[in-house]
Amino acid sequence: DIQMTQSPSSLSASLGDRVTITCRSSQSINNYLNWYQQKPGEAPKLLIFAASSLQSGVPSRFSGSGSRLSGGRSGTDFSLIISSLRPEDFATYYCQQTYSAPHTFGQGTKLEI
Amino acid sequence: EVQLVESGGGSAQPGGSQRLSCAASGFTFNTYTMTWVRQTPGKGLEWLSYITNTGSIIYYADSVKGRFTISRDNAKNSLFLQMNNLRVEDTAIYFCAGSLHYHYGLDVWGQGTTVTVSS
């Protein structure tokens, strides 16, 4: 099974800050990496799919990126970037690989004020 | 409105069974790969199982393989999870979720149903 490791596990930030959450896969996943936001008592919400594609309706302050190895092969390091934090962004964020089953999630990053 | 609504949660004893249902509406259910995900109280998300749109391909996490069975009825726009030989550690909120292409994330989610396994 592919292991997904997120860092940090928690993060304190202020309104307007730019924050980066990282996710590392235990093997190459061909950029099949998704990011979700979950608020207490709610279901997760898809933000980013395929490492860098913004889901419809998601604000443009959210973006995703993946690394590339030499020769153009996709790497194993991914980032979720929030360019300027708003109050509604304080939540827990999860990465998930959908390259091969089981489609494992990272352990989550709790973003706090 | 695109919607998934889970039902069937509740209390069960260790070794018992529970059947979860997920009713879909507002989208073309028979084009979606469907997935079950669970979340233990205060913990992260655990992927459990998926079934492709025709039901021809099914995968399970090792933690539930041999005990849980996923199925779907496209005529009734419904997804199911039959859970047998339940363990205390199966206590969680169970979400159904869907994706038009399983590589591109779960873009439709239900609100979740809670299963509590205790003696």
Side-chain angles (χ1 to χ4, degrees):
Chain A
D1 297 357
I2 298 173
Q3 309 303 316
M4 306 301 295
T5 304
Q6 276 183 246
S7 61
S9 55
S10 64
L11 175 60
S12 294
S14 301
L15 297 177
D17 282 355
R18 175 186 173 93
V19 299
T20 301
I21 298 169
T22 62
C23 181
R24 174 169 289 178
S25 56
S26 59
Q27 65 186 72
S28 176
I29 54 173
N30 200 27
N31 278 344
Y32 289 130
L33 188 283
N34 313 302
W35 290 98
Y36 300 87
Q37 176 194 66
Q38 187 181 31
K39 298 179 180 179
E42 297 183 5
K45 172 187 173 184
L46 180 65
L47 300 176
I48 302 285
F49 63 93
S52 59
S53 295
L54 192 67
Q55 175 68 2
S56 175
V58 174
S60 59
R61 64 181 179 275
F62 292 92
S63 63
S65 67
S67 60
R68 282 280 174 187
L69 303 176
S70 59
R73 289 177 296 122
S74 64
T76 60
D77 293 338
F78 302 89
S79 296
L80 172 70
I81 300 139
I82 311 172
S83 60
S84 180
L85 278 173
R86 295 179 58 88
E88 59 267 34
D89 300 336
F90 292 94
T92 300
Y93 294 85
Y94 295 92
C95 63
Q96 180 206 25
Q97 65 83 16
T98 44
Y99 176 67
S100 69
H103 292 168
T104 39
F105 288 91
Q107 80 276 20
T109 296
K110 187 173 184 180
L111 179 55
E112 300 173 300
I113 300 175
Chain B
E1 180 190 5
V2 172
Q3 197 170 18
L4 292 171
V5 179
E6 301 96 336
S7 59
S11 297
Q13 292 194 330
S17 298
Q18 200 94 352
R19 189 186 196 218
L20 305 183
S21 299
C22 172
S25 60
F27 64 100
T28 308
F29 180 72
N30 63 12
T31 64
Y32 272 63
T33 290
M34 298 300 296
T35 297
W36 286 99
V37 174
R38 72 183 177 187
Q39 186 167 36
T40 49
K43 298 289 181 65
L45 301 170
E46 181 184 11
W47 181 94
L48 297 180
S49 179
Y50 85 62
I51 183 169
T52 53
N53 63 318
T54 62
S56 60
I57 299 174
I58 289 173
Y59 280 106
Y60 296 98
D62 286 345
S63 59
V64 303
K65 195 177 298 182
R67 299 188 301 123
F68 291 12
T69 302
I70 191 172
S71 62
R72 66 189 296 159
D73 183 341
N74 285 344
K76 296 183 178 179
N77 290 341
S78 294
L79 175 73
F80 306 100
L81 186 68
Q82 178 65 44
M83 305 186 295
N84 296 332
N85 192 19
L86 283 164
R87 304 168 179 168
V88 171
E89 55 265 35
D90 293 321
T91 295
I93 301 170
Y94 286 74
F95 296 98
C96 64
S99 49
L100 192 56
H101 191 301
Y102 64 82
H103 278 316
Y104 294 148
L106 299 164
D107 57 281
V108 182
W109 289 75
Q111 83 289 351
T113 188
T114 300
V115 174
T116 303
V117 183
S118 73
S119 54

